[in-house]
Amino acid sequence: MSKDIVTPQEWIANWQSNRRLTRKVIEAFPEKELFEFSIGGMRPFANIVDELLYVVNLSIKQISENQVIEFSDFMGYAGKTKAEILTHWDKTTALIQKFGKETSQEKYREVFNMFGMYNYALIENLIYLLENEIHHRGQGYVYLRALGIEPPAFYGEY
């Protein structure tokens, strides 16, 4: 019997449901505004998505190879068009699914030094990645509302 409250499969399913919602936020942006619109000095949402995709891909690579890889410049990482960003998003979603299937439950409790900065159990690093996505998705909601666009519902099935 597991002492964990959530299984790795449930964790990945939750993360994936959040990713589906963030994808809907990306889809809601008009092409031009995705790359240019910002408020109060915050980055355009395409640049935020650069970060979201970069940190997840880099994190999975670090975990899979059991080595710390330093952060580098990730501007433009996601793509130069909305279609490229969505394609990259979907590839990363598939990578997360594969990671979830290949990662043992025991590994989630192992301490891992993510980016040479976060020396926590793997699950805590994964929670950080999800919270970072949720935080930035909130910025996307603000941008969409400022543009007069109704953002996707954040409740229910996504």
Side-chain angles (χ1 to χ4, degrees), residues 31-139:
E31 182 94 17
K32 180 178 185 281
E33 286 76 5
L34 178 63
F35 290 89
E36 295 178 9
F37 185 79
S38 70
I39 297 174
M42 294 189 295
R43 298 172 284 173
F45 200 63
N47 294 140
I48 290 170
V49 177
D50 287 335
E51 175 190 326
L52 295 175
L53 287 171
Y54 178 80
V55 297
V56 168
N57 280 281
L58 185 62
S59 297
I60 290 175
K61 181 177 172 97
Q62 289 181 103
I63 295 160
S64 299
E65 296 176 5
N66 198 30
Q67 64 173 328
V68 175
I69 302 170
E70 290 189 26
F71 239 56
S72 65
D73 181 28
F74 51 80
M75 296 304 283
Y77 180 81
K80 296 189 183 328
T81 67
K82 185 168 147 178
E84 287 177 2
I85 288 174
L86 291 170
T87 297
H88 197 161
W89 191 266
D90 294 342
K91 287 179 182 176
T92 300
T93 297
L95 182 68
I96 291 168
Q97 198 65 30
K98 181 177 185 249
F99 168 82
K101 288 179 181 173
E102 294 176 352
T103 305
S104 69
Q105 187 160 346
E106 295 77 32
K107 183 129 180 126
Y108 279 73
R109 295 289 170 215
E110 289 179 14
V111 173
F112 190 81
N113 190 332
M114 191 78 71
F115 310 120
M117 299 183 288
Y118 310 116
N119 202 24
Y120 301 109
L122 175 58
I123 187 62
E124 293 175 65
N125 283 298
L126 295 176
I127 289 169
Y128 164 79
L129 293 174
L130 177 57
E131 289 175 345
N132 187 53
E133 179 179 329
I134 293 167
H135 158 75
H136 286 309
R137 184 173 63 230
Q139 288 175 279

Side-chain angles (χ1 to χ4, degrees), residues 141-152:
Y141 274 74
V142 170
Y143 286 6
L144 289 171
R145 290 205 183 277
L147 289 166
I149 299 168
E150 181 70 24

